[in-house]
Amino acid sequence: MARPQMLKLPEVLEEIGISRPAFYRMEARGKAPRIHRLPNGQVRISRVDLDAWWESCAQRAA
């Protein structure tokens, strides 16, 4: 079984087109894709979770 692709926060921010503070505001409201915090404090987001988040955004907009 292959490991899921984990994206760094700057990669995600560039893809969704928002700033870091805006992302953390979304996270605080429970509206951001699920994040994984590494022991060193860095944040990763799986490609699967990001794609699911995009899909949920499209469904809410429809």
mmCIF file of all heavy atoms in Angstrom, residues 6-9 20-21 23-28 32-46 49:
data_model
loop_
_atom_site.group_PDB
_atom_site.id
_atom_site.type_symbol
_atom_site.label_atom_id
_atom_site.label_comp_id
_atom_site.label_asym_id
_atom_site.label_seq_id
_atom_site.Cartn_x
_atom_site.Cartn_y
_atom_site.Cartn_z
ATOM 1 N N MET A 6 1.789 13.749 0.955
ATOM 2 C CA MET A 6 1.608 14.783 1.961
ATOM 3 C C MET A 6 2.181 16.093 1.424
ATOM 4 O O MET A 6 3.336 16.150 1.011
ATOM 5 C CB MET A 6 2.311 14.399 3.259
ATOM 6 C CG MET A 6 1.784 13.104 3.883
ATOM 7 S SD MET A 6 0.039 13.151 4.275
ATOM 8 C CE MET A 6 0.066 14.081 5.786
ATOM 9 N N LEU A 7 1.368 17.126 1.417
ATOM 10 C CA LEU A 7 1.755 18.425 0.880
ATOM 11 C C LEU A 7 2.163 19.360 2.004
ATOM 12 O O LEU A 7 1.558 19.357 3.085
ATOM 13 C CB LEU A 7 0.580 19.041 0.117
ATOM 14 C CG LEU A 7 -0.019 18.192 -0.997
ATOM 15 C CD1 LEU A 7 -1.318 18.800 -1.485
ATOM 16 C CD2 LEU A 7 0.967 18.047 -2.127
ATOM 17 N N LYS A 8 3.146 20.192 1.732
ATOM 18 C CA LYS A 8 3.548 21.217 2.683
ATOM 19 C C LYS A 8 2.542 22.361 2.607
ATOM 20 O O LYS A 8 1.897 22.582 1.576
ATOM 21 C CB LYS A 8 4.946 21.733 2.352
ATOM 22 C CG LYS A 8 6.014 20.682 2.533
ATOM 23 C CD LYS A 8 7.364 21.241 2.170
ATOM 24 C CE LYS A 8 8.439 20.173 2.353
ATOM 25 N NZ LYS A 8 9.769 20.669 1.996
ATOM 26 N N LEU A 9 2.413 23.099 3.700
ATOM 27 C CA LEU A 9 1.442 24.176 3.759
ATOM 28 C C LEU A 9 1.630 25.204 2.641
ATOM 29 O O LEU A 9 0.636 25.593 2.012
ATOM 30 C CB LEU A 9 1.444 24.843 5.132
ATOM 31 C CG LEU A 9 0.375 25.909 5.345
ATOM 32 C CD1 LEU A 9 -1.026 25.349 5.107
ATOM 33 C CD2 LEU A 9 0.487 26.497 6.730
ATOM 34 N N ARG A 20 -1.510 32.540 4.495
ATOM 35 C CA ARG A 20 -1.361 31.701 5.689
ATOM 36 C C ARG A 20 -2.319 32.131 6.803
ATOM 37 O O ARG A 20 -2.998 31.278 7.385
ATOM 38 C CB ARG A 20 0.098 31.747 6.161
ATOM 39 C CG ARG A 20 0.413 30.827 7.316
ATOM 40 C CD ARG A 20 1.874 30.911 7.697
ATOM 41 N NE ARG A 20 2.733 30.515 6.596
ATOM 42 C CZ ARG A 20 3.342 29.336 6.497
ATOM 43 N NH1 ARG A 20 3.216 28.455 7.460
ATOM 44 N NH2 ARG A 20 4.088 29.052 5.463
ATOM 45 N N PRO A 21 -2.427 33.449 7.112
ATOM 46 C CA PRO A 21 -3.380 33.841 8.158
ATOM 47 C C PRO A 21 -4.828 33.462 7.808
ATOM 48 O O PRO A 21 -5.582 33.027 8.689
ATOM 49 C CB PRO A 21 -3.212 35.356 8.258
ATOM 50 C CG PRO A 21 -1.835 35.618 7.751
ATOM 51 C CD PRO A 21 -1.611 34.594 6.685
ATOM 52 N N PHE A 23 -5.771 30.936 6.011
ATOM 53 C CA PHE A 23 -5.879 29.491 6.186
ATOM 54 C C PHE A 23 -6.096 29.146 7.657
ATOM 55 O O PHE A 23 -6.966 28.344 7.988
ATOM 56 C CB PHE A 23 -4.626 28.782 5.660
ATOM 57 C CG PHE A 23 -4.693 27.291 5.831
ATOM 58 C CD1 PHE A 23 -5.315 26.505 4.876
ATOM 59 C CD2 PHE A 23 -4.145 26.677 6.944
ATOM 60 C CE1 PHE A 23 -5.403 25.128 5.037
ATOM 61 C CE2 PHE A 23 -4.221 25.302 7.117
ATOM 62 C CZ PHE A 23 -4.850 24.534 6.157
ATOM 63 N N TYR A 24 -5.327 29.768 8.539
ATOM 64 C CA TYR A 24 -5.467 29.452 9.958
ATOM 65 C C TYR A 24 -6.795 29.955 10.524
ATOM 66 O O TYR A 24 -7.343 29.353 11.448
ATOM 67 C CB TYR A 24 -4.276 29.969 10.753
ATOM 68 C CG TYR A 24 -3.062 29.082 10.575
ATOM 69 C CD1 TYR A 24 -1.894 29.553 9.993
ATOM 70 C CD2 TYR A 24 -3.088 27.751 10.971
ATOM 71 C CE1 TYR A 24 -0.790 28.730 9.820
ATOM 72 C CE2 TYR A 24 -1.997 26.915 10.802
ATOM 73 C CZ TYR A 24 -0.852 27.417 10.234
ATOM 74 O OH TYR A 24 0.224 26.591 10.064
ATOM 75 N N ARG A 25 -7.344 31.035 9.969
ATOM 76 C CA ARG A 25 -8.689 31.471 10.372
ATOM 77 C C ARG A 25 -9.717 30.422 9.952
ATOM 78 O O ARG A 25 -10.629 30.090 10.716
ATOM 79 C CB ARG A 25 -9.031 32.830 9.763
ATOM 80 C CG ARG A 25 -8.354 34.000 10.451
ATOM 81 C CD ARG A 25 -8.930 35.332 10.023
ATOM 82 N NE ARG A 25 -8.831 35.580 8.594
ATOM 83 C CZ ARG A 25 -7.806 36.155 7.982
ATOM 84 N NH1 ARG A 25 -6.750 36.549 8.677
ATOM 85 N NH2 ARG A 25 -7.821 36.350 6.677
ATOM 86 N N MET A 26 -9.567 29.892 8.730
ATOM 87 C CA MET A 26 -10.465 28.835 8.258
ATOM 88 C C MET A 26 -10.354 27.597 9.153
ATOM 89 O O MET A 26 -11.360 26.978 9.492
ATOM 90 C CB MET A 26 -10.126 28.450 6.814
ATOM 91 C CG MET A 26 -10.547 29.457 5.793
ATOM 92 S SD MET A 26 -9.963 29.050 4.133
ATOM 93 C CE MET A 26 -10.577 27.395 3.906
ATOM 94 N N GLU A 27 -9.135 27.260 9.525
ATOM 95 C CA GLU A 27 -8.923 26.092 10.384
ATOM 96 C C GLU A 27 -9.608 26.295 11.738
ATOM 97 O O GLU A 27 -10.255 25.388 12.262
ATOM 98 C CB GLU A 27 -7.433 25.840 10.596
ATOM 99 C CG GLU A 27 -7.184 24.634 11.463
ATOM 100 C CD GLU A 27 -5.764 24.539 11.983
ATOM 101 O OE1 GLU A 27 -4.990 25.496 11.861
ATOM 102 O OE2 GLU A 27 -5.452 23.481 12.540
ATOM 103 N N ALA A 28 -9.497 27.495 12.299
ATOM 104 C CA ALA A 28 -10.114 27.784 13.589
ATOM 105 C C ALA A 28 -11.636 27.651 13.532
ATOM 106 O O ALA A 28 -12.271 27.275 14.522
ATOM 107 C CB ALA A 28 -9.726 29.184 14.059
ATOM 108 N N ALA A 32 -11.262 24.393 7.054
ATOM 109 C CA ALA A 32 -10.050 24.101 6.273
ATOM 110 C C ALA A 32 -9.892 22.597 6.096
ATOM 111 O O ALA A 32 -10.488 21.807 6.840
ATOM 112 C CB ALA A 32 -8.821 24.671 6.987
ATOM 113 N N PRO A 33 -9.082 22.187 5.115
ATOM 114 C CA PRO A 33 -8.799 20.752 5.000
ATOM 115 C C PRO A 33 -8.091 20.255 6.264
ATOM 116 O O PRO A 33 -7.429 21.023 6.956
ATOM 117 C CB PRO A 33 -7.887 20.636 3.783
ATOM 118 C CG PRO A 33 -7.560 22.001 3.344
ATOM 119 C CD PRO A 33 -8.395 22.961 4.101
ATOM 120 N N ARG A 34 -8.247 18.979 6.555
ATOM 121 C CA ARG A 34 -7.633 18.386 7.757
ATOM 122 C C ARG A 34 -6.113 18.494 7.683
ATOM 123 O O ARG A 34 -5.518 18.201 6.648
ATOM 124 C CB ARG A 34 -8.048 16.934 7.857
ATOM 125 C CG ARG A 34 -7.717 16.318 9.187
ATOM 126 C CD ARG A 34 -8.225 14.925 9.252
ATOM 127 N NE ARG A 34 -7.038 14.070 9.092
ATOM 128 C CZ ARG A 34 -7.078 12.773 9.017
ATOM 129 N NH1 ARG A 34 -8.209 12.142 9.015
ATOM 130 N NH2 ARG A 34 -5.980 12.087 8.928
ATOM 131 N N ILE A 35 -5.516 18.921 8.777
ATOM 132 C CA ILE A 35 -4.061 19.058 8.810
ATOM 133 C C ILE A 35 -3.448 17.994 9.710
ATOM 134 O O ILE A 35 -4.104 17.458 10.597
ATOM 135 C CB ILE A 35 -3.612 20.463 9.268
ATOM 136 C CG1 ILE A 35 -4.010 20.721 10.717
ATOM 137 C CG2 ILE A 35 -4.147 21.538 8.355
ATOM 138 C CD1 ILE A 35 -3.372 21.960 11.287
ATOM 139 N N HIS A 36 -2.184 17.709 9.439
ATOM 140 C CA HIS A 36 -1.387 16.786 10.251
ATOM 141 C C HIS A 36 -0.189 17.584 10.752
ATOM 142 O O HIS A 36 0.572 18.124 9.936
ATOM 143 C CB HIS A 36 -0.904 15.604 9.412
ATOM 144 C CG HIS A 36 -2.020 14.850 8.763
ATOM 145 N ND1 HIS A 36 -2.659 13.802 9.373
ATOM 146 C CD2 HIS A 36 -2.616 15.014 7.564
ATOM 147 C CE1 HIS A 36 -3.600 13.344 8.579
ATOM 148 N NE2 HIS A 36 -3.600 14.056 7.470
ATOM 149 N N ARG A 37 -0.050 17.695 12.052
ATOM 150 C CA ARG A 37 1.107 18.395 12.628
ATOM 151 C C ARG A 37 2.200 17.381 12.920
ATOM 152 O O ARG A 37 1.966 16.395 13.613
ATOM 153 C CB ARG A 37 0.731 19.128 13.895
ATOM 154 C CG ARG A 37 -0.168 20.310 13.627
ATOM 155 C CD ARG A 37 -0.214 21.244 14.813
ATOM 156 N NE ARG A 37 -1.240 22.232 14.613
ATOM 157 C CZ ARG A 37 -1.065 23.372 13.953
ATOM 158 N NH1 ARG A 37 0.100 23.649 13.442
ATOM 159 N NH2 ARG A 37 -2.059 24.220 13.819
ATOM 160 N N LEU A 38 3.376 17.656 12.407
ATOM 161 C CA LEU A 38 4.525 16.799 12.650
ATOM 162 C C LEU A 38 5.126 17.129 14.017
ATOM 163 O O LEU A 38 4.885 18.215 14.549
ATOM 164 C CB LEU A 38 5.561 17.002 11.547
ATOM 165 C CG LEU A 38 5.083 16.722 10.116
ATOM 166 C CD1 LEU A 38 6.209 16.992 9.134
ATOM 167 C CD2 LEU A 38 4.570 15.309 9.983
ATOM 168 N N PRO A 39 5.926 16.239 14.578
ATOM 169 C CA PRO A 39 6.538 16.506 15.889
ATOM 170 C C PRO A 39 7.384 17.784 15.915
ATOM 171 O O PRO A 39 7.503 18.415 16.958
ATOM 172 C CB PRO A 39 7.420 15.282 16.126
ATOM 173 C CG PRO A 39 6.767 14.198 15.337
ATOM 174 C CD PRO A 39 6.207 14.889 14.119
ATOM 175 N N ASN A 40 7.915 18.197 14.767
ATOM 176 C CA ASN A 40 8.729 19.417 14.729
ATOM 177 C C ASN A 40 7.883 20.670 14.516
ATOM 178 O O ASN A 40 8.404 21.756 14.359
ATOM 179 C CB ASN A 40 9.810 19.319 13.648
ATOM 180 C CG ASN A 40 9.228 19.215 12.251
ATOM 181 O OD1 ASN A 40 8.016 19.260 12.055
ATOM 182 N ND2 ASN A 40 10.099 19.059 11.268
ATOM 183 N N GLY A 41 6.546 20.529 14.514
ATOM 184 C CA GLY A 41 5.656 21.676 14.390
ATOM 185 C C GLY A 41 5.210 21.987 12.973
ATOM 186 O O GLY A 41 4.321 22.803 12.776
ATOM 187 N N GLN A 42 5.830 21.357 11.992
ATOM 188 C CA GLN A 42 5.433 21.608 10.607
ATOM 189 C C GLN A 42 4.065 20.999 10.335
ATOM 190 O O GLN A 42 3.631 20.079 11.010
ATOM 191 C CB GLN A 42 6.467 21.046 9.641
ATOM 192 C CG GLN A 42 7.795 21.759 9.707
ATOM 193 C CD GLN A 42 8.777 21.206 8.686
ATOM 194 O OE1 GLN A 42 8.479 20.290 7.946
ATOM 195 N NE2 GLN A 42 9.960 21.779 8.666
ATOM 196 N N VAL A 43 3.410 21.564 9.329
ATOM 197 C CA VAL A 43 2.065 21.133 8.960
ATOM 198 C C VAL A 43 2.114 20.439 7.611
ATOM 199 O O VAL A 43 2.796 20.888 6.693
ATOM 200 C CB VAL A 43 1.120 22.358 8.894
ATOM 201 C CG1 VAL A 43 -0.226 21.990 8.297
ATOM 202 C CG2 VAL A 43 0.948 22.964 10.273
ATOM 203 N N ARG A 44 1.373 19.349 7.507
ATOM 204 C CA ARG A 44 1.217 18.640 6.233
ATOM 205 C C ARG A 44 -0.270 18.388 6.016
ATOM 206 O O ARG A 44 -1.034 18.224 6.976
ATOM 207 C CB ARG A 44 1.948 17.296 6.229
ATOM 208 C CG ARG A 44 3.452 17.395 6.374
ATOM 209 C CD ARG A 44 4.092 17.952 5.110
ATOM 210 N NE ARG A 44 5.537 17.889 5.187
ATOM 211 C CZ ARG A 44 6.320 18.823 5.714
ATOM 212 N NH1 ARG A 44 5.777 19.907 6.222
ATOM 213 N NH2 ARG A 44 7.623 18.686 5.730
ATOM 214 N N ILE A 45 -0.656 18.367 4.753
ATOM 215 C CA ILE A 45 -2.032 18.067 4.366
ATOM 216 C C ILE A 45 -1.973 17.002 3.297
ATOM 217 O O ILE A 45 -1.228 17.141 2.316
ATOM 218 C CB ILE A 45 -2.748 19.330 3.855
ATOM 219 C CG1 ILE A 45 -2.775 20.376 4.965
ATOM 220 C CG2 ILE A 45 -4.146 18.998 3.350
ATOM 221 C CD1 ILE A 45 -3.209 21.742 4.542
ATOM 222 N N SER A 46 -2.739 15.941 3.477
ATOM 223 C CA SER A 46 -2.695 14.868 2.488
ATOM 224 C C SER A 46 -3.438 15.303 1.232
ATOM 225 O O SER A 46 -4.410 16.061 1.292
ATOM 226 C CB SER A 46 -3.288 13.574 3.043
ATOM 227 O OG SER A 46 -4.685 13.639 3.066
ATOM 228 N N ASP A 49 -7.107 14.390 1.436
ATOM 229 C CA ASP A 49 -7.907 15.313 2.252
ATOM 230 C C ASP A 49 -8.144 16.628 1.517
ATOM 231 O O ASP A 49 -9.242 17.188 1.588
ATOM 232 C CB ASP A 49 -7.221 15.592 3.592
ATOM 233 C CG ASP A 49 -7.260 14.410 4.545
ATOM 234 O OD1 ASP A 49 -8.097 13.503 4.334
ATOM 235 O OD2 ASP A 49 -6.443 14.383 5.477
#
